[in-house]
Amino acid sequence: MKRYWTLAAVLAASPAAAQTVTVEAGANAQERLQAALIEAKPGSIVRIGAGRFELTDGLSLDVDRVTVRGAGPDKTVLSFKGQLGAGEGLLVTSDDVVLRGFAVEDSKGDGIKSKGADRIVYKDIRVEWTGGPKATNGAYGVYPVESSDVLIDGVLVKGASDAGIYVGQSDRIIVRNSIATHNVAGIEIENSGHADVTGNIVTHNTGGILVFDLPALPRRGAGWVTVSGNKVVDNDTPNFAPKGNIVATVPTGTGVLIMAANNVTVTGNDLAGNGTANIMVIAYRQPFDDKGYNPLPRHIHLAANRHGRAGFAPAMPGGAELAKALGGTLPPIFWDGTGGDAVDLTGDNQVPVLSLGLALGAGIETAKPQPVKLREEIPPPLGVVTLPPAMEAAAK
């Protein structure tokens, strides 16, 4: 028995269980950093030293239980300005990965993408396109997709031509304490379920926080998304998404946009300075062939938000004419009216709501704008997402 105990103790304390490999800036940084990621063992820490790493190709990690740690997002900078390919800066395809304390700049594609990577933590990460908003920037800053248990905490993203912080086709998600600015979409939760978006600053994007459910994707959204305690202010950057992208249709000056999603609660947010609307609730209005898809938003609850100035520069088609007819501005909350009572739009009625009364697929010229009162009810319980304790410990 003693021999087996001793063997277990040796294995638990072996270097493979807690190996630390340090990569410093300097010559051949591309080869040395990629080699460290390839050769990492489960339980390893890849420590990236302070300095600027000039990289010419994307990096990849496919080993479980690895921590990639820099000296801080302003001290450890992975620059992809000289990237030769069009891929992401860093691609992660393994589970139980922690990424923290470094920056990714000017990647040709997405900044950091994780695909099928369960229990992944993004902590104190900066992703930025340093030339400002451009259609040629990468689409996504941080981009976890097809994953379970995602924690994004203390992340800063600037300049993404689609979404700064994007989570798609995933379940059990927390996005908190992060900043998204000068992106097309600041934060986007798409075809995902059980998500908490809380305590973030979302400003100077085209649209602030998007909750979408789209057709023809492997997974439809499970709903239960809570958007609470965020500052969604002054989203005023002209839309610079490449033509054909779904976010290219987001009007400049949108605060929170809910499209075809279900069971979404928006509460306790500060919303102001959004020229089209502080909150928009709309159906998916483009043609689709997905027979199992429901294009209507359902069970949307809007309450206890603090609304400032909004609707003063509506950028949607026909918005300026509609605002003029209503005295110069639109109300802070805008609903396309599609679906009527089936949408089940509820709230506290302390903020004006405008419905356009549009049929599905109908043009703006058929609108029948009128103020509406929301059905007041006891608010649904907030969808508190609980992640594994090890993930929360890794983010401290």
Side-chain angles (χ1 to χ4, degrees):
M1 181 66 70
K2 183 177 180 180
R3 183 172 67 87
Y4 292 112
W5 180 90
T6 302
L7 179 60
V10 170
L11 289 173
S14 66
Q19 177 190 35
T20 297
V21 176
T22 299
V23 181
E24 302 290 358
N28 301 316
Q30 176 82 50
E31 292 79 8
R32 291 185 290 111
L33 184 50
Q34 182 60 75
L37 296 173
I38 291 173
E39 296 167 6
K41 303 293 190 294
S44 294
I45 298 172
V46 177
R47 191 181 73 82
I48 311 175
R52 191 171 187 86
F53 292 72
E54 301 290 349
L55 305 173
T56 57
D57 199 2
L59 302 168
S60 61
L61 172 64
D62 190 25
V63 181
D64 293 342
R65 295 192 297 111
V66 170
T67 295
V68 181
R69 180 191 296 265
D74 294 322
K75 294 180 179 179
T76 298
V77 178
L78 309 182
S79 173
F80 293 88
K81 187 165 285 189
Q83 188 174 4
L84 300 177
E88 51 277 315
L90 172 62
L91 173 64
V92 177
T93 53
S94 47
D95 298 336
D96 300 291
V97 167
V98 178
L99 308 172
R100 67 178 299 161
F102 61 91
V104 169
E105 292 184 353
D106 299 316
S107 58
K108 293 295 190 291
D110 308 320
I112 305 174
K113 179 178 180 179
S114 53
K115 183 173 183 181
D118 296 337
R119 298 174 301 281
I120 187 165
V121 176
Y122 292 80
K123 174 69 174 181
D124 293 337
I125 295 291
R126 175 172 62 87
V127 178
E128 182 174 358
W129 285 268
T130 59
K134 295 178 182 176
T136 53
N137 291 351
Y140 303 106
V142 297
Y143 180 17
V145 63
E146 298 177 13
S147 301
S148 296
D149 300 310
V150 174
L151 175 57
I152 298 172
D153 186 1
V155 167
L156 168 64
V157 183
K158 295 182 178 180
S161 66
D162 195 304
I165 297 171
Y166 172 100
V167 186
Q169 302 178 62
S170 297
D171 193 59
R172 296 188 302 278
I173 303 148
I174 296 177
V175 181
R176 70 189 182 204
N177 307 324
S178 295
I179 299 173
T181 183
H182 294 93
N183 309 285
V184 175
I187 298 172
E188 182 174 352
I189 306 297
E190 184 179 286
N191 288 61
S192 295
H194 308 98
D196 287 349
V197 179
T198 183
N200 304 287
I201 298 173
V202 187
T203 186
H204 298 305
N205 306 283
T206 301
I209 298 176
L210 279 52
V211 183
F212 280 8
D213 198 39
L214 303 179
L217 289 175
R219 171 183 174 141
R220 297 189 187 91
W224 302 106
V225 176
T226 299
V227 177
S228 65
N230 304 284
K231 294 185 182 298
V232 187
V233 298
D234 300 329
N235 288 287
D236 52 11
T237 296
N239 196 315
F240 60 98
K243 291 183 178 179
N245 288 14
I246 186 67
V247 295
T249 64
V250 175
T252 302
T254 300
V256 176
L257 175 57
I258 301 165
M259 182 170 70
N262 65 92
N263 290 297
V264 180
T265 298
V266 181
T267 185
N269 301 282
D270 292 307
L271 303 153
N274 302 302
T276 293
N278 281 340
I279 301 176
M280 296 180 67
V281 180
I282 64 173
Y284 181 81
R285 310 196 66 81
Q286 299 183 16
F288 61 90
D289 296 322
D290 185 346
K291 294 182 179 179
Y293 175 68
N294 188 337
L296 299 178
R298 288 95 67 206
H299 310 299
I300 311 300
H301 186 74
L302 316 174
N305 297 291
R306 294 169 289 276
H307 288 268
R309 184 171 178 246
F312 51 87
M316 61 191 179
E321 294 78 8
L322 182 59
K324 183 177 180 180
L326 295 174
T329 62
L330 298 181
I333 301 177
F334 174 90
W335 174 34
D336 65 3
T338 304
D341 291 343
V343 171
D344 191 27
L345 185 62
T346 62
D348 54 18
N349 278 315
Q350 296 183 22
V351 180
V353 179
L354 177 69
S355 169
L356 290 189
L358 290 173
L360 188 64
I364 190 75
E365 68 279 359
T366 67
K368 300 175 182 177
Q370 61 179 342
V372 295
K373 281 193 170 292
L374 304 183
R375 183 170 63 82
E376 297 194 39
E377 65 168 16
I378 297 174
L382 295 183
V384 178
V385 175
T386 301
L387 298 177
M391 293 180 66
E392 293 288 359
K396 290 183 178 179

